[in-house]
Amino acid sequence: GVRDVLFLYEENRCSMTYMYEYPEYLKIKLPKKTAKRYPAYELYLYGEGNYAEENKNLLLTGIPVLFLPGNAGSYKQVRSLGSIALRKAEDIDFKYHFNFFSVNFNEELVALYGGSLQRQTKFVHECIKVILKLYRDREFAPTSVAIVGHSMGGLVARALLTLKNFKPELINLLITQATPHVAPVMPLDKYLTDFYTAVNNHWILKAQDLRNLTTLSVAGGFRDYQVRSGLAFLPRLSQHDSALSVVSSAVPRAWASTDHLSIVWCKELILATIRAFFDLIDEDTRQITEDPKKRMSVLNHHFVRHPAKIFEENPEAFTELTGAFTWITVKASKWTYSVYNDSDGKYFTFPLASHRKSYSHVYCENSMLDTSSWIYGCMNSNSSMCLEVTDLSWRAELLPTTKVVMLKLQDYPSLSRIVIQVPPTAGNKYTLDCEFFQEDSRTVQLPVTHLFSLGLSSSKIVLNSTGLLYNVQLQHFNQIYQAFKIHVESHCQSLKERKPNVYRLHIPWSHEDSIIVAKVPSLTEISAKLHIAQPQNDSSVPELNIYSSSDCQYEVIKRYPYILVFQIMRFHAGALPAYVVSNILLTYGGQLSTWISTGSQCSDFTLELVRTAKPYKVEPLISIVMFLQGFNWFREIWESLSLPEVDAAAPSSQDAWFPLVSLILFLFGTGIAYWSGIFFSISLRLFSSLWFTLIRPTVLRKDTKLLTPRGLCGVFSLALLSWTTCGAFAIVLIYLQYWFKPVHFFMTFVFYFQDSDRSKETSQNSSKDTVKNQSAIDSTSKASQSLPNSTATEAVNSLKMHVTILNLFTWIMLLNLPSLIYWLKNLRYNIRLDPDPCRCTAIILICILEMLINSNISELKSSRLLKIAAKVPLPLSVAMVAFGRLHLYKVPHFVTFSLLLHVLCCIV
């Protein structure tokens, strides 16, 4: 499953963008108050060559666009947009041009730590005000700024609207690139999830107030394994008519999936963005148009359906056909015409009256990929010529090798003829094809099985092509767990040269189509996987459109090389830590129960994991709660108790949850916990052996006090460190300190066992050097006597318990590590991490672990709380899976509570 996500995707079909002159970044001076408040952030203006020199005095006359980098992103990533926009402005002699600004967020890791997102948002607000001041007193001064945000930068741009003093009219266009709008990829701290909740709730509740803002979200497709495309779709309830979400594989003239970084430099995608920017300009204001409808029309033109024509806001309904062209009537239902060095222009007319009874559709394709009109509709039925026609070229659609148009005859009752224009050509070679057909004859249904096919089924259909277009309907293909491959094999009767075929997987409820160009004949493999499940109120059916050659046979075979776990990895791998820790917590509870029942034996971690960590202890209760939440009375009781929403409910609302997913994740968690436990034990032994070469203990230290004066000093020191710097830093230090507890145990046993073995070997030696050997025997005998049987057993049991606690604490440390990385990266600006997501947790854990270091399992025997401590891990494991899947920062809280009970058992 991991291999499928990380490596099995299409090759990179993006071209690199290049600068024609050396890129320069002019730092914009910010107000002193702003610079002091945000010392780590900066604002830059992009430029190249002479353009950069001219802008050094900041006498700007263009249209401002602000680029916001994402997680660990650089402000220099603006160069692809800025350079291509500059080249296009040069092509039109700078009639219009754009000024691209970029914010330097110091490459902060905001996907891992959400504490700085609000600070970034406020800084962007200040930047917008500074940018607009630069244009003050200009003839065409802008009143708003367009924003392009990559990754988390797009979320920061959306968050601007949540600021109390922010005026929504300051931005009228927002384009986001691979931005996870729905939820964070890894919910590692409360600030991150709260920020998402605030932004998405505002956009849903205030949707009516945001109609003047046009938003485009572009996802990267399956090549982007960092942010899956389903997260990049804007929430469905927000802005039905002013927001658009597309996947880069469906963008016309790009048709390529992009990874998380290449989306900012993919030439095909950047060209589509810049073309849209220039088409959005209002000729009167020389700024981006204030008309929301025009903005959406432009974005649909460049990012959804391109008719192979230059954008026109209001194309004329009727046009006149000029030129002394020859008029030719075609009565056949199927027609092909090849053009090469044709000096005479022609009009081919297709009377519709004779075809309406027999056929439902007309389909035409043109391999000349210019932007001129080529197909028209005629309403005049009396003359053989049509001088006034309606331009049907706007109904066409651009594909990689051709432009096509399909018309349903019933929708055009007033048309008497279709007219195709063939202008004079000089050296150009292209082909025109048209055919009339009945829709049923070109539609084939291919059923897609559901969850329990287990990859064992396949289907095959054969298309004996006599036409130019076939639609293969993928019946019941509507859930994200359905993943399979389609093989299309083409066989042709003759070996003549043909234009490549185009295969398009069309998903009607979202703009996530994928297009493949294939030679003829060939065998082509198409991956069929969904980014978004079908909405409940949608009954449309996905299709495989085959733009075929008329004398070829096509075999369409559906196979299931994918299994359910592949999609689970893609959609839910981020929840695995909660399941892993849940398994370890169950094991910990099982060890305490074993100790109670035997009185003298603590089971090994891996053996107890196999015995105790069972999904039927956790999953049924969560399923029952989810079922009961479908009833209003239960929801009211749940809310009255102020209980949070079960995490499984959120993926269900996003159509990303499906049967058995939680069970499979739990089993994955069991496997990861098992093998990580084995790896942990091996590494512990190796480290102990290495440490043993440096230090050789002679006695097994047995602490009698849970908290010694030295330990108390350590608690105060680490607590002070946590409060004044970073909580995660203190957690890592106490973790390293605790690590030496089992290391000390291992090291001691290695020493005693080696000495014991040596004493046996020594006693069997000859009597040479008797005095020397006798002294060695005496010393080893004394050493072995210092480790009695009861002490050894007690030490082994304590070691097993400490290893399990260390396993738990390892995951706590890993989940808090991102804030430590963020703190280290920004240490030169601020010694104290503020806000710190784990400061309070760190202080509690320091106190607990400082006492657990000196604890012994024998101290639990007489505790009155031991039975409670043994039973608590089960409900905590259930709660962890219920509430920690989408809120990983809650996982340490459950573990901390369990360890706190352990400490109390040592005291009470």
Side-chain angles (χ1 to χ4, degrees):
V2 172
R3 177 174 169 267
D4 174 70
V5 173
L6 299 183
F7 303 107
L8 299 184
Y9 44 70
E10 68 180 64
E11 63 180 5
N12 186 13
R13 290 189 280 179
C14 283
S15 304
M16 177 61 76
T17 49
Y18 293 96
M19 282 75 253
Y20 289 88
E21 297 175 276
Y22 192 79
E24 295 184 34
Y25 305 89
L26 178 63
K27 186 176 178 180
I28 306 296
K29 187 177 180 180
L30 299 172
K32 289 183 180 180
K33 187 178 179 181
T34 303
K36 186 178 180 181
R37 187 180 300 171
Y38 309 101
Y41 302 157
E42 296 168 324
L43 177 64
Y44 288 88
L45 172 65
Y46 178 81
E48 293 178 22
N50 293 332
Y51 172 78
E53 288 294 325
E54 293 171 1
N55 286 335
K56 282 188 175 179
N57 55 9
L58 293 180
L59 298 176
L60 306 178
T61 58
I63 302 168
V65 179
L66 179 60
F67 175 79
L68 305 180
N71 177 59
S74 169
Y75 65 95
K76 294 182 179 180
Q77 289 174 314
V78 73
R79 60 183 175 267
S80 295
L81 286 164
S83 183
I84 290 182
L86 181 59
R87 300 283 85 78
K88 189 166 178 65
E90 288 176 347
D91 290 342
I92 59 174
D93 295 326
F94 283 92
K95 179 182 178 182
Y96 310 112
H97 70 280
F98 289 85
N99 302 128
F100 275 85
F101 297 85
S102 184
V103 172
N104 178 17
F105 284 135
N106 192 34
E107 300 184 11
E108 290 181 337
L109 302 171
V110 286
L112 304 178
Y113 168 75
S116 62
L117 284 169
Q118 193 68 26
R119 184 162 57 245
Q120 286 189 0
T121 306
K122 292 178 179 178
F123 179 73
V124 172
H125 184 198
E126 298 299 323
C127 287
I128 291 174
K129 292 189 283 188
V130 169
I131 289 170
L132 292 177
K133 282 183 181 178
L134 295 176
Y135 295 87
R136 195 163 44 190
D137 302 327
R138 301 291 187 271
E139 183 180 358
F140 297 100
T143 57
S144 61
V145 175
I147 295 181
V148 178
H150 172 239
S151 187
M152 295 298 287
L155 187 72
V156 169
R158 289 180 62 212
L160 285 168
L161 299 160
T162 65
L163 298 178
K164 292 181 179 179
N165 56 346
F166 183 79
K167 299 176 181 178
E169 58 268 20
L170 291 180
I171 52 174
N172 57 13
L173 177 66
L174 170 60
I175 298 177
T176 65
Q177 302 170 326
T179 296
H181 291 294
V182 178
V185 177
M186 292 291 286
L188 293 170
D189 66 57
K190 188 176 187 296
Y191 306 113
L192 191 59
T193 55
D194 287 352
F195 189 81
Y196 266 90
T197 302
V199 172
N200 286 331
N201 285 346
H202 183 88
W203 277 58
I204 291 170
L205 297 174
K206 304 288 185 179
Q208 298 297 325
D209 300 337
L210 304 176
R211 289 187 177 275
N212 289 327
L213 172 62
T214 303
T215 310
L216 168 68
S217 175
V218 183
F222 289 113
R223 278 189 64 85
D224 189 351
Y225 58 82
Q226 295 184 45
V227 177
R228 63 178 177 85
S229 296
L231 292 177
F233 279 67
L234 291 161
R236 289 175 186 163
L237 295 177
S238 66
Q239 293 181 281
H240 294 281
D241 56 350
S242 59
L244 181 64
S245 300
V246 298
V247 179
S248 61
S249 59
V251 175
R253 304 172 81 172
W255 297 302
S257 177
T258 63
D259 60 57
H260 197 63
L261 291 179
S262 68
I263 198 169
V264 300
W265 56 255
C266 179
K267 183 178 178 181
E268 290 77 8
L269 200 57
I270 298 299
L271 282 171
T273 305
I274 297 303
R275 290 183 189 119
F277 269 128
F278 276 87
D279 283 342
L280 285 166
I281 297 174
D282 187 320
E283 292 186 1
D284 296 329
T285 63
R286 297 202 175 187
Q287 296 294 325
I288 289 178
T289 178
E290 296 294 328
D291 184 1
K293 290 183 178 179
K294 179 182 177 180
R295 293 198 296 261
M296 284 303 297
S297 297
V298 171
L299 295 180
N300 276 289
H301 179 92
H302 289 283
F303 288 91
V304 178
R305 185 187 179 93
H306 199 296
K309 286 180 64 66
I310 296 173
F311 175 79
E312 293 181 25
E313 184 177 359
N314 296 305
E316 295 181 2
F318 296 97
T319 185
E320 292 184 1
L321 297 180
T322 58
F325 289 5
T326 304
W327 288 80
I328 302 172
T329 302
V330 180
K331 295 183 179 180
S333 61
K334 191 173 182 180
W335 170 80
T336 298
Y337 185 75
S338 296
V339 183
Y340 182 65
N341 280 339
D342 196 343
S343 58
D344 298 324
K346 296 181 179 64
Y347 288 124
F348 291 92
T349 65
F350 299 80
L352 298 182
S354 58
H355 295 300
R356 288 188 183 274
K357 294 181 181 179
S358 304
Y359 305 106
S360 62
H361 290 72
V362 58
Y363 169 83
C364 293
E365 61 183 29
N366 184 351
S367 62
M368 172 62 80
L369 301 181
D370 61 355
T371 58
S372 58
S373 296
W374 60 284
I375 183 169
Y376 305 91
C378 177
M379 298 181 185
N380 180 14
S381 59
N382 298 324
S383 172
S384 60
M385 295 188 299
C386 296
L387 298 181
E388 189 176 70
V389 293
T390 180
D391 191 352
L392 298 176
S393 304
W394 292 104
R395 303 286 187 273
E397 183 175 11
L398 181 65
L399 295 176
T401 61
T402 185
K403 50 188 179 184
V404 302
V405 61
M406 185 170 67
L407 305 173
K408 189 175 182 180
L409 298 179
Q410 187 179 351
D411 294 341
Y412 299 89
S414 59
L415 294 186
S416 61
R417 276 170 290 179
I418 299 291
V419 180
I420 291 183
Q421 181 182 13
V422 180
T425 58
N428 291 327
K429 184 179 180 179
Y430 62 97
T431 304
L432 290 157
D433 295 276
C434 280
E435 65 171 346
F436 292 85
F437 65 89
Q438 192 67 31
E439 185 179 20
D440 296 342
S441 65
R442 301 298 173 84
T443 303
V444 183
Q445 294 183 348
L446 185 65
V448 176
T449 51
H450 276 276
L451 179 63
F452 299 104
S453 66
L454 298 177
L456 302 177
S457 64
S458 63
S459 306
K460 177 180 177 180
I461 57 174
V462 178
L463 304 174
N464 292 308
S465 177
T466 57
L468 302 171
L469 173 66
Y470 279 87
N471 297 321
V472 180
Q473 292 186 342
L474 304 175
Q475 294 289 328
H476 313 298
F477 179 40
N478 50 24
Q479 299 297 327
I480 62 165
Y481 58 79
Q482 296 170 304
F484 52 94
K485 285 192 176 181
I486 301 173
H487 294 267
V488 182
E489 187 172 3
S490 56
H491 306 278
C492 299
Q493 296 175 359
S494 60
L495 299 177
K496 67 179 182 179
E497 184 181 354
R498 295 175 177 82
K499 68 177 185 294
N501 287 164
V502 176
Y503 307 134
R504 175 168 67 178
L505 182 63
H506 174 58
I507 310 300
W509 57 80
S510 64
H511 304 296
E512 55 176 281
D513 295 5
S514 56
I515 293 179
I516 294 178
V517 180
K519 294 181 180 180
V520 182
S522 67
L523 174 62
T524 306
E525 183 180 87
I526 302 169
S527 294
K529 293 177 284 190
L530 295 174
H531 295 294
I532 287 187
Q534 186 176 28
Q536 292 182 354
N537 57 352
D538 195 310
S539 59
S540 55
V541 180
E543 291 181 338
L544 174 64
N545 306 133
I546 300 177
Y547 298 90
S548 58
S549 299
S550 58
D551 59 342
C552 295
Q553 183 187 73
Y554 295 84
E555 290 184 2
V556 182
I557 305 170
K558 179 202 66 182
R559 289 196 176 99
Y560 280 88
Y562 296 110
I563 54 178
L564 183 62
V565 297
F566 291 0
Q567 290 296 83
I568 290 178
M569 285 295 99
R570 187 180 306 280
F571 283 82
H572 302 290
L576 273 175
Y579 286 90
V580 175
V581 181
S582 176
N583 275 275
I584 300 174
L585 201 57
L586 285 173
T587 305
Y588 166 75
Q591 285 181 315
L592 290 179
S593 299
T594 303
W595 177 254
I596 293 172
S597 59
T598 62
S600 61
Q601 188 67 35
C602 180
S603 55
D604 186 68
F605 173 79
T606 52
L607 295 176
E608 191 62 42
L609 177 72
V610 172
R611 189 183 72 84
T612 310
K614 303 297 182 184
Y616 59 77
K617 295 181 179 180
V618 175
E619 294 301 323
L621 186 58
I622 297 175
S623 300
I624 291 170
V625 171
M626 285 295 299
F627 173 76
L628 291 175
Q629 283 199 332
F631 299 98
N632 290 329
W633 62 268
F634 186 81
R635 279 203 306 272
E636 291 174 1
I637 295 173
W638 190 270
E639 291 171 1
S640 66
L641 296 174
S642 300
L643 293 172
E645 185 182 24
V646 177
D647 278 359
S652 298
S653 64
Q654 301 164 15
D655 302 318
W657 201 252
F658 43 89
L660 301 182
V661 63
S662 188
L663 173 63
I664 294 172
L665 285 172
F666 189 93
L667 296 177
F668 284 173
T670 307
I672 293 171
Y674 181 87
W675 290 105
S676 64
I678 291 176
F679 173 78
F680 194 76
S681 296
I682 293 172
S683 61
L684 207 59
R685 290 174 184 270
L686 289 174
F687 189 79
S688 300
S689 300
L690 291 173
W691 193 253
F692 177 67
T693 60
L694 302 174
I695 300 175
R696 288 173 174 260
T698 55
V699 292
L700 186 67
R701 186 170 66 90
K702 184 177 180 181
D703 296 302
T704 56
K705 293 183 179 180
L706 285 178
L707 197 59
T708 61
R710 182 181 176 183
L712 195 60
C713 292
V715 169
F716 281 119
S717 300
L718 289 174
L720 183 63
L721 186 71
S722 172
W723 189 261
T724 56
T725 58
C726 172
F729 183 46
I731 287 176
V732 170
L733 292 179
I734 193 68
Y735 173 79
L736 294 175
Q737 183 182 348
Y738 195 90
W739 171 273
F740 283 96
K741 182 68 175 182
V743 166
H744 174 71
F745 273 116
F746 268 122
M747 194 168 59
T748 304
F749 288 129
V750 168
F751 174 76
Y752 285 128
F753 292 152
Q754 283 185 359
D755 276 359
S756 178
D757 290 342
R758 277 197 214 99
S759 67
K760 291 177 183 178
E761 292 173 6
T762 306
S763 65
Q764 294 172 2
N765 286 340
S766 61
S767 58
K768 295 178 181 180
D769 302 318
T770 306
V771 176
K772 183 179 179 180
N773 286 330
Q774 187 62 42
S775 64
I777 293 171
D778 292 341
S779 65
T780 53
S781 297
K782 289 177 182 177
S784 61
Q785 287 172 3
S786 66
L787 190 64
N789 240 0
S790 60
T791 307
T793 305
E794 183 181 304
V796 169
N797 288 328
S798 294
L799 173 62
K800 290 176 180 178
M801 184 57 67
H802 281 297
V803 167
T804 302
I805 292 173
L806 198 54
N807 259 308
L808 281 170
F809 193 47
T810 299
W811 283 94
I812 293 179
M813 187 267 295
L814 290 175
L815 289 173
N816 286 300
L817 210 54
S819 61
L820 173 63
I821 297 171
Y822 178 91
W823 174 72
L824 290 172
K825 190 175 176 61
N826 291 272
L827 194 56
R828 56 178 173 163
Y829 298 106
N830 206 333
I831 295 177
R832 190 173 193 260
L833 180 64
D834 190 31
D836 189 341
C838 55
R839 180 171 288 129
C840 295
T841 306
I843 293 173
I844 297 171
L845 281 171
I846 288 165
C847 299
I848 291 173
L849 291 172
E850 193 65 55
M851 287 188 279
L852 285 179
I853 287 174
N854 301 322
S855 68
N856 197 300
I857 196 167
S858 61
E859 297 167 351
L860 302 177
K861 285 183 180 179
S862 58
S863 175
R864 289 174 288 179
L865 298 176
L866 183 57
K867 290 184 178 180
I868 298 174
K871 292 178 180 178
V872 161
L874 176 58
L876 287 180
S877 296
V878 175
M880 189 182 299
V881 172
F883 304 115
R885 280 183 289 209
L886 300 181
H887 301 82
L888 291 177
Y889 63 89
K890 293 180 180 179
V891 170
H893 302 161
F894 298 111
V895 177
T896 302
F897 183 77
S898 191
L899 295 180
L900 179 62
L901 277 178
H902 190 114
V903 170
L904 291 176
C905 286
C906 297
I907 298 172
V908 181

